[in-house]
Amino acid sequence: MNKVVRLAVMGALLAAAVPALSATPVTLTVASFPDLDRDIKVAIPLYKKVHPEVEIKLVSRERVDHVNAVTTQLASGTGLPDLIGLEIGFVGRFVASGGLEDLSKAPYNVNQYQNQVTGYSWAQAKGPNGDQYAIPVDIGPGTMFYRKDLMDKAGVTEADLNKSWESYLAAGKKVKAATGAYLVASPVDIKDIYIRSNLKNGEGIYFDKSGKVIVAGNPRFENAFKLAKEAQDAGIAGNIKQWTNDWAAGFQHDQIATQPIGAWLNGHLAHWLAPDEGGKWRATNLPQGAYASWGGSFYAIPAKSTHKAEAYEFLKFLTLNREQQLATFKEMDAFPSLKSAQDDPIMSEPLPYLGGQKAREMWREAAKHIPEIPINKNDGVAEDIINDQLDQVVHQNKDIKAALADAQADIERRARR
């Protein structure tokens, strides 16, 4: 962070109305996971300048280990950190655990800040009662990353990729024939982005507002499965799972031509997935004018935290301080959830990894079109069941309607437990 930004952070913090806190030295424990833990590392030296009495201990575990540890700690009420970093896929589960502070209530009254934060992400941290249990720190507007050089070689234009879902698959066949690259790493990628696209305000991915499963007979799932199956049958979808060594190798060795996902992938591609492929990639909107949310991170305070007041001050610094949000954005490309940070000139800077494209402007606009998407504690369970049924469709030719009916029944059964 440069000196100007650092001074701005200091000024903003000193001007803020900070509640009286204990003068006694306090050690805050923050539990997080890669790459969100870098957010804390950026914040620590800045925060200590205005709160020298607060030491911050970061406990970072791999994503699955982090989730398991927090689950155990919330259940037992022991060994809890003071602040927890949460990935969107687990927010519903932890909210439902009853182990998080209700930030809607006094002394927090966090809803006073709602209009400062991207609307759809704020809604993702609400419980069934409408109360707020976490605050978003970054968001994941959906986008389509694509290899410009491979498209040129195949005679495929950007318009071919996003005119419609059908033109997207047709383009993939040209790319595969001309370059050998898969259109997507996996048919799951097509299914995942499609079922997240163009939701209605208040419509969840797998459940409606009342908690009813909305999978069987739903055109959103039927079309997603159909497109994924077609891609698999055409040989334009690989068998490469995300977050595997094969996924990284696919990006590094010209095996993957497009990746529909959250905008945050730009940072991962540039920093560690395929840093040597800079300049070859571009980003565009999703097919057929679709908008989707994919990813996002949050912070929450355990109800049995021993330093709630100090944890809340640090939580506000991470999520509601413009300069801190921008500092993290510059460090790790985590798209800020704070609206005022989205208006910074950095959003119009060309991105070297994307050949100088000003893609952040496109992602900022996309975020404005994403509706409020309620979460459910069983979203993770539903995702696993849907993926299992999709696997049977694409690899065993199971009928799509039958697969979704089975998925609906299985999700309902698991949700009743």
Side-chain angles (χ1 to χ4, degrees):
M1 173 177 291
N2 63 43
K3 184 177 180 180
V4 173
V5 173
R6 188 181 303 119
L7 290 174
V9 172
M10 293 284 293
L13 285 169
L14 291 171
V18 180
L21 300 172
S22 172
T24 305
V26 168
T27 297
L28 277 181
T29 302
V30 182
S32 190
F33 55 94
D35 227 10
L36 184 60
D37 54 0
R38 292 169 62 195
D39 180 38
I40 302 300
K41 294 174 183 175
V42 169
I44 286 175
L46 301 172
Y47 196 68
K48 279 191 66 66
K49 291 184 181 296
V50 287
H51 283 292
E53 78 284 4
V54 177
E55 293 290 336
I56 297 172
K57 177 184 177 183
L58 172 63
V59 178
S60 182
R61 300 181 176 91
E62 290 302 318
R63 181 172 173 269
V64 174
D65 294 336
H66 168 71
V67 171
N68 291 337
V70 172
T71 300
T72 300
Q73 290 163 342
L74 288 175
S76 66
T78 60
L80 284 161
D82 298 298
L83 194 65
I84 304 172
L86 297 174
E87 190 266 334
I88 177 62
F90 297 95
V91 172
R93 172 172 156 185
F94 287 126
V95 167
S97 74
L100 302 180
E101 279 287 270
D102 182 353
L103 302 175
S104 303
K105 303 291 194 301
Y108 310 108
N109 301 312
V110 75
N111 286 333
Q112 64 184 299
Y113 303 115
Q114 179 174 353
N115 291 336
Q116 299 180 31
V117 178
T118 303
Y120 82 83
S121 64
W122 187 271
Q124 288 174 321
K126 288 183 180 294
N129 55 3
D131 290 338
Q132 196 77 20
Y133 291 90
I135 302 179
V137 66
D138 60 61
I139 62 175
T143 191
M144 173 83 73
F145 290 95
Y146 70 91
R147 279 281 298 269
K148 177 71 163 55
D149 57 329
L150 298 182
M151 299 304 148
D152 290 345
K153 189 174 181 179
V156 169
T157 67
E158 184 175 289
D160 294 328
L161 292 176
N162 61 19
K163 179 181 178 182
S164 68
W165 292 99
E166 290 73 22
S167 71
Y168 175 55
L169 296 191
K173 295 172 185 175
K174 293 181 180 178
V175 171
K176 187 69 165 63
T179 71
Y182 292 116
L183 176 67
V184 286
S186 165
V188 175
D189 294 340
I190 294 177
K191 179 270 297 178
D192 277 344
I193 196 67
Y194 195 93
I195 65 173
R196 287 167 169 76
S197 295
N198 292 341
L199 296 173
K200 299 174 184 174
N201 209 41
E203 179 185 10
I205 297 176
Y206 308 100
F207 301 85
D208 66 12
K209 275 186 174 179
S210 68
K212 179 183 176 184
V213 182
I214 51 174
V215 170
N218 187 331
R220 180 160 52 86
F221 283 90
E222 292 178 354
N223 292 336
F225 273 46
K226 180 182 176 184
L227 291 168
K229 170 69 170 166
E230 185 176 339
Q232 178 71 24
D233 290 348
I236 57 176
N239 189 27
I240 304 171
K241 292 184 178 180
Q242 292 181 14
W243 309 115
T244 63
N245 290 335
D246 288 343
W247 197 45
F251 290 127
Q252 295 163 7
H253 301 295
D254 305 341
Q255 296 173 340
I256 302 172
T258 75
Q259 184 66 57
I261 204 165
W264 42 262
L265 185 67
N266 178 62
H268 291 286
L269 284 170
H271 296 307
W272 63 277
L273 276 173
D276 294 336
E277 303 304 301
K280 298 178 181 177
W281 285 87
R282 301 288 187 276
T284 187
N285 287 317
L286 297 172
Q288 214 156 320
Y291 293 104
S293 168
W294 191 320
S297 306
F298 303 76
Y299 288 107
I301 301 173
K304 293 187 178 180
S305 162
T306 54
H307 303 295
K308 293 179 184 177
E310 290 81 4
Y312 183 53
E313 287 305 306
F314 190 47
L315 168 59
K316 288 194 295 183
F317 177 78
L318 294 167
T319 58
L320 300 173
N321 184 284
R322 182 176 186 272
E323 285 71 27
Q324 164 60 22
Q325 285 260 296
L326 289 171
T328 300
F329 190 29
K330 293 174 182 175
E331 174 68 22
M332 52 186 284
D333 277 316
F335 206 90
S337 56
L338 191 67
K339 291 178 181 176
S340 62
Q342 295 174 9
D343 291 332
D344 190 85
I346 192 176
M347 290 290 168
S348 297
E349 291 182 359
L351 300 179
Y353 194 83
L354 300 182
Q357 185 182 5
K358 297 180 180 179
R360 289 165 175 163
E361 294 178 345
M362 176 179 62
W363 298 331
R364 177 177 59 190
E365 184 63 24
K368 297 176 182 177
H369 294 271
I370 298 172
E372 293 187 1
I373 305 168
I375 55 172
N376 187 285
K377 65 179 181 180
N378 290 306
D379 279 344
V381 171
E383 181 179 13
D384 289 342
I385 291 171
I386 288 292
N387 283 341
D388 178 66
Q389 290 296 333
L390 178 66
D391 187 74
Q392 294 183 48
V393 168
V394 298
H395 295 299
Q396 301 173 28
N397 292 317
K398 184 172 181 176
D399 178 74
I400 290 175
K401 288 185 180 294
L404 293 175
D406 288 347
Q408 171 100 9
D410 203 9
I411 295 169
E412 290 174 344
R413 180 177 59 80
R414 296 280 296 278
R416 286 195 295 268
R417 289 180 178 176

